[in-house]
Amino acid sequence: MAVIAQKCPEIKVNVVDINPSRIAAWKTDQLPIYEPGLLEVVKEAHGRNLFFSTDIEDAIREADMIFISVNTPTKTYGVGKGRAADLKFIELSARQIAEVSTTDKIVVEKSTLPVRTAQSIKAILGEEGNGVKFQVLSNPEFLAEGTAITDLHDPDRVLIGGDQTPEGLEAIEALASVYAHWVPREKIIQTRLWSSELSKLTANAFLAQRISSINSISALCEVTGADVDEVAYAIGSDSRIGPKFLKSSVGFGGSCFQKDILNLVYLCEYFGLPEVASYWEQVVLMNDYQKRRFAQNIIHTLFNTVSGKKIAMLGWAFKKDTNDTRESAAIYVTDHLLSDMANVSVYDPQVPEESMIEDLNYLQTRPARENKEMLTVHQDAYEACKDAHAIAIITEWDEFKNLDWQLIYKNMKKPAFLFDGRNLLNHEELEKIGFKVKCIGKG
Ligand code: UDX
């Protein structure tokens, strides 16, 4: 919304949220999320045509177009538990829009939703609306965290789905003309409603599938002596495959991939396609395996026990340049190590201690008190690594490349092990210093 406001000064953008502290934070220099370049965009438009408020009803009444951007987490209860998306926030938003609106509106689904949700939104708006007409569009977001602003400024494509009726096409055009302020027309793809909804799930499933595919090969490389980075380069040079998204890692994280695939799996099961469901589920299972394998490798290498040993984790965010920790591999690797009675000390440049503890508590593997006792969080990498038996690199933060690795080595227990979950560092140099290095997909 901040980028729309930046690029379309004549459009008034009201961002509303039920959470007053979040809204208050958007008006300061300490935005509620860390995203490079975002503060500058917000500052440019804030007070001009970008406004933040908790007055949801007023904003609904005033709007011609409403973007629903609430979260759709995986259901943790009842039917579809662990798989289906929980749509309660979407439903509440739709009901509120229906109750409050006094003029016709275009309602845009921005949250990632399972296919055919637009149908439910339409049903709610149609039943409750006071004679007001609504058009529902699907406009999934493809930005990646950490590069959100450049992705938004220069997207590969914008996708808009809507009813193929005259009113639907008119609504699609209204939204397309907003993006056309800065996105070339040929990049604005228009589809039917359900195709657009399904495309978002499919795009994320394909992207995650590439990572799980290369990660599966990393396991084979480790036992055979091939090098997964060489394999990725060799196959990525085939223009049909392409070089992007082939970086083997400790496992993908983030709020989208796992959730969207589980959703796809649920949809396939629901519509009686068990073979298709299990095909896609394998992408998530392979990712779980990769995280588990990484943790087990640490335990195995440290002479089959990490009990009472200090393991330093560099990075907690699910990727660099974000403070988002949702589904981060760090959570699962740490949980595994704590279950083996390790003392884990963490440093991440952006993630606060409370988030780390919350992430672990959410798993409910052990009492919250024990998580707090066994996890130590440091404000710098050198402290985190001091007296450690091993270091695990989980997030590919640039600053880890420029650490004084000689000094870190000097202050560690020997033999000093380093497990590079991102193949981020120069392993030959580290080995010259004295480190015993283990990385992903290298024999
Ligand atoms: C993803 C999609 O890229 C984006 O289009 C969609 O809108 C939301 O989901 P995001 O989750 O922000 O974006 O990050 P992304 O860059 O896709 O990375 C996801 C995870 O995969 C991270 O943990 C990342 O480290 C990992 N990854 C990515 C790899 O392990 N290897 C790769 O080659 C690429």
Side-chain angles (χ1 to χ4, degrees):
M1 291 306 112
V3 169
I4 289 181
Q6 180 195 32
K7 297 290 185 182
C8 312
E10 84 285 7
I11 298 178
K12 182 176 176 193
V13 179
N14 285 320
V15 175
V16 289
D17 197 298
I18 49 173
N19 182 337
S21 61
R22 233 158 214 265
I23 287 297
W26 280 109
K27 298 178 185 173
T28 70
D29 282 0
Q30 248 67 54
L31 302 184
I33 52 169
Y34 172 73
E35 184 65 49
L38 177 59
L39 182 61
E40 289 72 21
V41 175
V42 171
K43 279 188 147 173
E44 190 182 327
H46 187 206
R48 179 188 72 187
N49 61 329
L50 175 65
F51 302 93
F52 299 98
S53 145
T54 48
D55 195 340
I56 301 175
E57 297 201 347
D58 241 21
I60 292 174
R61 268 191 290 270
E62 204 186 310
D64 299 307
M65 196 180 272
I66 300 172
F67 292 79
I68 303 185
S69 318
V70 295
N71 58 336
T72 52
T74 305
K75 266 186 96 173
T76 51
Y77 55 88
V79 179
K81 179 179 172 190
R83 283 198 152 98
D86 193 338
L87 299 180
K88 77 171 171 226
F89 303 119
I90 297 278
E91 191 177 328
L92 287 171
S93 306
R95 285 190 192 282
Q96 194 173 17
I97 292 170
E99 276 161 28
V100 173
S101 295
T102 49
T103 55
D104 294 354
K105 294 182 198 307
I106 298 171
V107 176
V108 184
E109 301 177 18
K110 198 69 186 159
S111 317
T112 301
L113 298 167
V115 264
R116 300 198 149 193
T117 306
Q119 198 60 38
S120 322
I121 298 181
K122 268 196 225 167
I124 293 167
L125 293 174
E127 283 299 314
E128 299 224 3
N130 327 309
V132 170
K133 288 208 188 71
F134 296 100
Q135 278 301 319
V136 179
L137 300 179
S138 157
N139 174 218
E141 185 49 64
F142 294 103
L143 69 81
E145 291 177 30
T147 52
I149 299 299
T150 41
D151 292 347
L152 286 166
H153 282 165
D154 185 21
D156 284 346
R157 73 336 202 156
V158 166
L159 180 57
I160 305 174
D163 278 343
Q164 303 297 300
T165 56
E167 300 81 13
L169 294 171
E170 204 180 300
I172 294 177
E173 176 47 34
L175 181 54
S177 71
V178 173
Y179 286 107
H181 280 71
W182 78 98
V183 180
R185 277 277 175 177
E186 63 276 13
K187 286 191 174 179
I188 304 178
I189 302 173
Q190 310 191 358
T191 67
R192 333 153 184 259
L193 210 42
W194 299 336
S195 305
S196 166
E197 290 181 86
L198 184 57
S199 298
K200 171 71 182 189
L201 295 187
T202 308
N204 278 342
F206 268 60
L207 289 168
Q209 184 194 41
R210 282 173 71 93
I211 304 170
S212 275
S213 295
I214 198 70
N215 281 346
S216 74
I217 299 300
S218 77
L220 186 59
C221 288
E222 284 167 31
V223 291
T224 56
D227 180 323
V228 76
D229 290 333
E230 289 178 354
V231 175
Y233 181 76
I235 64 165
S237 309
D238 184 326
S239 62
R240 293 169 302 175
I241 296 175
K244 293 184 184 165
F245 257 72
L246 283 180
K247 181 82 190 145
S248 191
S249 66
V250 53
F252 61 74
S255 64
C256 289
F257 284 174
Q258 175 166 315
K259 182 191 75 168
D260 287 356
I261 293 173
L262 292 177
N263 231 249
L264 191 61
V265 169
Y266 180 73
L267 278 171
C268 294
E269 282 170 352
Y270 179 84
F271 286 107
L273 304 169
E275 288 82 358
V276 186
S278 64
Y279 176 77
W280 286 108
E281 188 172 24
Q282 200 57 37
V283 174
V284 173
L285 296 180
M286 183 53 64
N287 196 49
D288 291 340
Y289 168 69
Q290 188 76 348
K291 293 180 279 190
R292 200 166 59 238
R293 207 166 68 78
F294 185 79
Q296 280 169 351
N297 190 18
I298 296 179
I299 297 168
H300 177 73
T301 309
L302 292 179
F303 317 105
N304 281 323
T305 177
V306 287
S307 172
K309 291 182 182 165
K310 176 172 170 178
I311 315 287
M313 306 264 292
L314 296 187
W316 191 273
F318 82 98
K319 62 190 261 196
K320 73 172 180 178
D321 293 338
T322 176
N323 59 356
D324 194 340
T325 67
R326 285 175 288 178
E327 294 301 330
S328 177
I331 305 167
Y332 298 93
V333 172
T334 303
D335 189 55
H336 215 81
L337 295 172
L338 294 185
S339 292
D340 235 78
M341 308 307 288
N343 294 318
V344 176
S345 60
V346 193
Y347 166 69
D348 185 287
Q350 287 296 336
V351 179
E353 176 167 356
E354 310 84 76
S355 305
M356 299 179 191
I357 300 284
E358 242 172 61
D359 289 338
L360 286 172
N361 290 347
Y362 187 75
L363 297 183
Q364 296 190 337
T365 312
R366 64 192 69 73
R369 177 181 43 81
E370 287 180 23
N371 283 329
K372 212 160 166 43
E373 272 165 23
M374 296 169 90
L375 192 84
T376 318
V377 182
H378 293 277
Q379 297 312 311
D380 91 74
Y382 298 98
E383 278 302 313
C385 296
K386 197 162 170 243
D387 294 323
H389 294 76
I391 297 172
I393 298 195
I394 304 291
T395 314
E396 72 283 25
W397 286 102
D398 288 332
E399 67 173 68
F400 297 159
K401 291 191 249 182
N402 304 320
L403 293 171
D404 182 345
W405 285 102
Q406 298 260 13
L407 179 65
I408 290 177
Y409 177 78
K410 205 170 125 237
N411 291 330
M412 280 177 71
K413 293 261 192 290
K414 308 295 177 322
F417 290 100
L418 190 142
F419 297 84
D420 189 346
R422 294 286 181 168
N423 293 352
L424 178 74
L425 304 174
N426 183 330
H427 299 147
E428 274 175 25
E429 272 177 25
L430 290 170
E431 274 166 1
K432 268 193 221 143
I433 294 174
F435 281 103
K436 303 246 175 284
V437 182
K438 292 256 181 175
C439 31
I440 303 282
K442 294 178 201 261

